[in-house]
Every structure is written in C-alpha cells, then in structure tokens.
Amino acid sequence: MEKTRPLWSNPLQFVFACISYAVGLGNVWRFPYLCQMYGGGSFLVPYIIMLIVEGMPLLYLELAVGQRMRQGSIGAWRTISPYLSGVGIASVVVSFFLSMYYNVINAWAFWYLFHSFQDPLPWSVCPLNGNHTGYDEECEKASSTQYFWYRKTLNISPSLQENGGVQWEPALCLLLAWLVVYLCILRGTESTGKVVYFTASLPYCVLIIYLIRGLTLHGATNGLMYMFTPKMEQLANPKAWVNAATQIFFSLGLGFGSLIAFASYNEPSNNCQKHAIIVSLINSFTSIFASIVTFSIYGFKATFNYENCLKKVSLLLTNTFDLEDGFLTASNLEQVKGYLASAYPSKYSEVFPHIKNCSLESELDTAVQGTGLAFIVYTEAIKNMEVSQLWSVLYFFMLLMLGIGSMLGNTAAILTPLTDSKIISSHLPKEAISGLVCLVNCAIGMVFTMEAGNYWFDIFNDYAATLSLLLIVLVETIAVCYVYGLRRFESDLKAMTGRAVSWYWKVMWAGVSPLLIVSLFVFYLSDYILTGTLKYQAWDASQGQLVTKDYPAYALAVIGLLVASSTMCIPLVALGTFVLHHLKRGDAAPVA
C-alpha cells in the first residue's frame, strides 16, 4: 500500500494544501467579530496563549499521525487500535455534514460575484414597488443590502416551518460550486496539489489590495483605533478565553480528518513539526491581517453612516427652525439641540421623534459575524466606494478562493478513507468515488436553497460539528498518549524524521491540551443545558428585521441527531469490535 500511495510533488505543495484548508472564511468573518466582542487588542492575549498550548500541539499531533500511519482517518486510528475505528468514522461523518452546507456559502459567493458586474450594484438601491410610486416597503424598513440578501438571494420564509420550494438561481449556483470542487479533486493529490497554489495565495493578494484601499478610505482610522484599543477588563471574562480556544480549534480544522489525510501523502521523513508551526502561525497571522482590513472598512462604513445621520438631522433642524445653511456642525449640534428644545419647546417636541441620535461609537459597536458580515456589512461598505463593481468582484472572488480551499480539505477527509478501502477502490476508480461524493452532497445540499434553507444552514453551522469535534480530538490525544503510548509514538517520530520530540510537545499532548478540550466540552454542554429552549433568528418582512423564535420539535430532533450521529460512532464501533472479538474467541475455543 505504501509503494502505490500517491505523494505530494514537494513539501511546499503539502504546506499550501494545509494553509488553503485552514485559512478559510472563519478568519475573515469570525475572528474580527470576536475582537470586537472581547476587548479589541486585548483579545490577542488569550488567542496567542491558546495557539501555543492548544493549536500548535494538536495540529502537530494530527499531521504526525497521518504521516506515520500513511492512511486516511479511519485506517490511521484502526492501526493504532481496532477499537478506535469509530474515531475515523466520526471524523468522516462530521466532514460529510460540513461539506453538505459549507459549499452553499460558495454558491452564495458565486451569486454575488455574478451580480457584481452590474452598474449600479443591485444591492445599492431599493427597488420600486409594484405601482412604481415609491420604494419597496420591506426594503425601506430594512436596508437595500439586507433586502438583497434576505429577499433576492435567499427569498427567505417567515419561519422554519414554512419550507417553500427550491430557489432555482441559488440551486444552479450550488451545482456550479460542486462542479468546481469536483474538477479540483478529480485526480486526487495530482489535481489538488496544483489548485492549492491558487486557493492559498490569491486571497492574500486580494487582502493586500483591500488593505491599501481600506487604509485610504475616509474614517478607516476610526475602525482601526476601535480594534487596537485594548479593553483589559475583558481578560477577566471567561467567555473571551473560551472563544479564543474555540476559534483556534475550529480555524485550524482539527478533528475533521483532513489534516491526517493530507499528511498521509507525505514522505515519511518530512519534518511535520516545522510544518505544523508554519501553518498555525500563518493561520493566526491571516486572522489578524484580515481583521485590520475588516476594521478599516468597518470604520469607513460607520463614519459614512454617522455623517449621513448628522446631515439628515442638520437638514431637518435647519428647515424646521429656518437656521442658516452650514450653521450646524458635528461639534455644535448637541448644544444647538439643547437651545432649540428650551427656546421652542412645542415646535421641538413635534420634530423630536424624527431626530435620530447619531453616535460613531454605537455604529462601531454593532457586532456582526458570519453571513451577516460577509453579505450585508461588507456589501454596504462596498456600495459606497468609488468603482464599487471592481471592489465587489475582488471581494467575492476572495471569498470563493477561501471557500473552495476549505472544501478541498473537507472532501479529502471523506475521499481518502474511501479510496484507501480496498473493497471500494477495487470496484470504482478514484474519479467515480469523487463524483459520487460530490453528487450526494450536492443533492442533499439542495435543502439549503429552499425558502427556509438559511434556517437549516444555521442549524448545521451551529450544531453539526462543535461538540463532536471536541470529543473526536479528545479521544485522539488520549489514544496517542495512553493507548498507542507516548514513548512508542515518540520513537516512531524519531525513526521517521530523525529528530527527537521535545518535552514541550509531550507535556501539551499528555496533559494540557486534553484538559483544555475537556474544559471546552463541559462549557459548551452546560451552555446548551442552561440556554433552555434553543432559539433561532427569523426574518420578519413586515418589520424589515430579524426576530427570535423557538425551534419546533422536529428541528430539535434533527439537532440531536446531528450531534449523536457522529459522537455515537466512537462508543458504538468500539462496542461492536469488542463483541466481534469475543464471538471469534468463542468460535475458536471448541476447536482448540
């Protein structure tokens, strides 16, 4: 098997594959949100500590296991112990769930990319109503960017219970997204190895262009000051530490089996320790770099909205009280408002309901993550830039590169164990296995293109992986240190790479990292229990905003099934293996 196993053309190709997989949408749309929520610059303290004690050691562990066992996740853990086959199966199940919904983001990115060539951008203005007498009511109550996202892109239903039909435009974009992924993985490492050079490097080119543009935007400094001003009191907030650990954990893509799959195509002598450090540092640097870009654009958007608000209030007061044009400024507005309220109380009380409270701080405080940041906040900033079409094309092209790069890792986690299986690979060629995986995923993914598809997307995004991955990686570390044996694993690595494993890695693997994972697991479990009835955000067209609703019983059942279907693989397979061993012994006993 070792002789016929395909290999990366060179170590650089492997590093690019890992970077392309690890550096994904979370770096662009989750890390900036966490910085905003948990103290700006001070969030970097728990983030860097968690990178050292959790991210690097666990990444090195997975790469070392893949390189040593030279198999996908199922085969690698079966080699360590037959009772651990369930760990590999659980990884494949989680990767399958992730692939089902993750490529929908690429479909949305395609949809926005195609619309980016229009002038003006379709989300820059509200459409006219049916009578052509004014703007669409839903759009006026929300905003043009929210309207384009919720109504034009998703055509979202008012609740999860109203599924609606499949939207053919997003469905076609999803087909295209899966076709692109299939063409990239068609010939295994041979084709993936060439694609990752683009998917890993092009996002950086776009981010650098965006950084130069972002720093020249009016108000960019407001956003950057907001990001880098540390709120040290947040260091005492346990949620800041939990979120830092979780971000490192999920951003590196631990537990999915993708890193094990990629490392299994390495030469046994490859220095995977060096590569683990390089990949984790580049991943974290990208998060910080993307935050600088995001906050410069965030500052521009907040300043633009704040100044617009001031203009509207100034115009209203100037017209109402016959003030001189240009008399009202940002510096004297509050003072003049106080004077007008005391001098003309009745007249002021009439216009008071229409006077908005303009605050740059509150504009910057509006924290948004995920699809809300990518498809609403960013598009709102882009529409106000000069040559907005160019910046829109660049931005959604970058999202596509990040999304496709991560999808290559997700599909590798599913395909490597399947192609390693002699039963499957003897009947089907590699291209057919890849095609079937993409076809099944695409067919199930059509659920996310229905009117209620975004609600199902949120369910999968929130619950398909969190607890499962923590349990998988916990069992992985215990398996290597206490089942396979840390000393044995250490001697294997020394024989393979010619380098001794330092005490730091051993201490992290044997004690610190598992304890951290247990703490995270307990936190999330207690958080789910204490939350009570799980809720979701539904779009109310009549109000033009999101409202909170309770999940129906069948949605809660799906959530339970998502968590159980992957986590239960570990104990059930171990139990099944135990029973089979005893049955074999029972059959063999009379013969002896």
Side-chain angles (χ1 to χ4, degrees), residues 338-465:
Y339 166 73
L340 293 173
S342 58
Y344 310 98
S346 57
K347 204 173 183 183
Y348 189 82
S349 61
E350 286 175 28
V351 292
F352 181 73
H354 305 288
I355 299 172
K356 287 183 179 177
N357 190 20
C358 306
S359 164
L360 181 61
E361 192 67 25
S362 64
E363 285 286 348
L364 287 164
D365 276 339
T366 313
V368 184
Q369 63 168 326
T371 51
L373 176 63
F375 298 108
I376 297 171
V377 174
Y378 251 97
T379 52
E380 196 173 315
I382 288 167
K383 76 174 187 183
N384 296 320
M385 291 182 191
E386 290 173 21
V387 205
S388 53
Q389 286 76 14
L390 171 67
W391 299 109
S392 186
V393 168
L394 277 174
Y395 175 67
F396 290 109
F397 177 71
M398 179 188 73
L399 279 194
L400 264 178
M401 288 298 104
L402 290 170
I404 289 166
S406 296
M407 277 304 298
L408 299 181
N410 299 338
T411 47
I414 304 164
L415 290 170
T416 305
L418 296 177
T419 50
D420 283 349
S421 165
K422 288 177 182 174
I423 302 162
I424 297 169
S425 56
S426 61
H427 288 92
L428 289 169
K430 194 184 289 178
E431 294 83 355
I433 299 168
S434 303
L436 277 170
V437 167
C438 291
L439 195 66
V440 170
N441 267 307
C442 184
I444 300 169
M446 287 297 162
V447 170
F448 305 111
T449 66
M450 296 195 305
E451 287 177 25
N454 195 53
Y455 303 134
W456 288 110
F457 173 88
D458 287 338
I459 286 175
F460 272 73
N461 193 32
D462 292 341
Y463 303 105

Side-chain angles (χ1 to χ4, degrees), residues 136-143 147 150-151 539-542 544:
D136 184 278
E137 192 183 345
E138 183 185 355
C139 187
E140 278 202 305
K141 285 183 178 175
S143 69
Y147 179 81
Y150 288 112
R151 187 55 52 220
W539 180 253
D540 188 331
S542 61

Side-chain angles (χ1 to χ4, degrees), residues 537-552:
Q537 296 278 294
W539 180 253
D540 188 331
S542 61
Q543 294 181 54
Q545 63 180 37
L546 292 166
V547 292
T548 305
K549 293 189 177 184
D550 289 339
Y551 273 120

Side-chain angles (χ1 to χ4, degrees), residues 49-233:
I49 290 169
M50 291 301 171
L51 172 69
I52 294 164
V53 300
E54 176 202 36
M56 284 183 190
L58 295 174
L59 179 62
Y60 180 25
L61 182 83
E62 288 210 348
L63 295 184
V65 166
Q67 193 169 305
R68 166 68 186 87
M69 304 307 168
R70 302 192 44 74
Q71 293 179 72
S73 53
I74 297 173
W77 296 111
R78 192 193 291 121
T79 306
I80 286 173
S81 168
Y83 293 100
L84 293 171
S85 300
V87 179
I89 295 168
S91 288
V92 172
V93 170
V94 172
S95 292
F96 187 75
F97 287 155
L98 184 73
S99 295
M100 268 197 275
Y101 77 85
Y102 198 93
N103 220 17
V104 178
I105 303 167
N106 291 333
W108 292 332
F110 267 124
W111 165 258
Y112 269 81
L113 181 66
F114 296 149
H115 282 83
S116 296
F117 294 96
Q118 294 180 26
D119 185 23
L121 290 171
W123 54 81
S124 61
V125 286
C126 283
L128 294 171
N129 59 24
N131 304 326
H132 295 276
T133 53
Y135 291 118
D136 184 278
E137 192 183 345
E138 183 185 355
C139 187
E140 278 202 305
K141 285 183 178 175
S143 69
S144 57
T145 48
Q146 283 180 312
Y147 179 81
F148 188 82
W149 169 243
Y150 288 112
R151 187 55 52 220
K152 293 293 183 184
T153 306
L154 304 175
N155 193 21
I156 200 164
S157 61
S159 70
L160 186 63
Q161 287 92 324
E162 297 166 59
N163 273 315
V166 169
Q167 310 297 299
W168 70 269
E169 287 159 319
L172 284 176
C173 289
L174 183 63
L175 274 170
L176 177 63
W178 273 111
L179 181 64
V180 170
V181 170
Y182 176 63
L183 293 173
C184 293
I185 61 170
L186 188 59
R187 306 201 63 79
T189 50
E190 198 182 314
S191 55
T192 305
K194 292 180 179 70
V195 173
V196 292
Y197 287 126
F198 294 99
T199 56
S201 56
L202 284 176
Y204 290 101
C205 299
V206 177
L207 278 173
I208 289 164
I209 295 166
Y210 249 97
L211 178 68
I212 296 163
R213 179 69 185 113
L215 293 176
T216 60
L217 289 170
H218 173 56
T221 48
N222 292 329
L224 292 174
M225 279 170 67
Y226 184 88
M227 178 194 168
F228 285 111
T229 306
K231 300 181 181 78
M232 300 312 285
E233 68 276 6

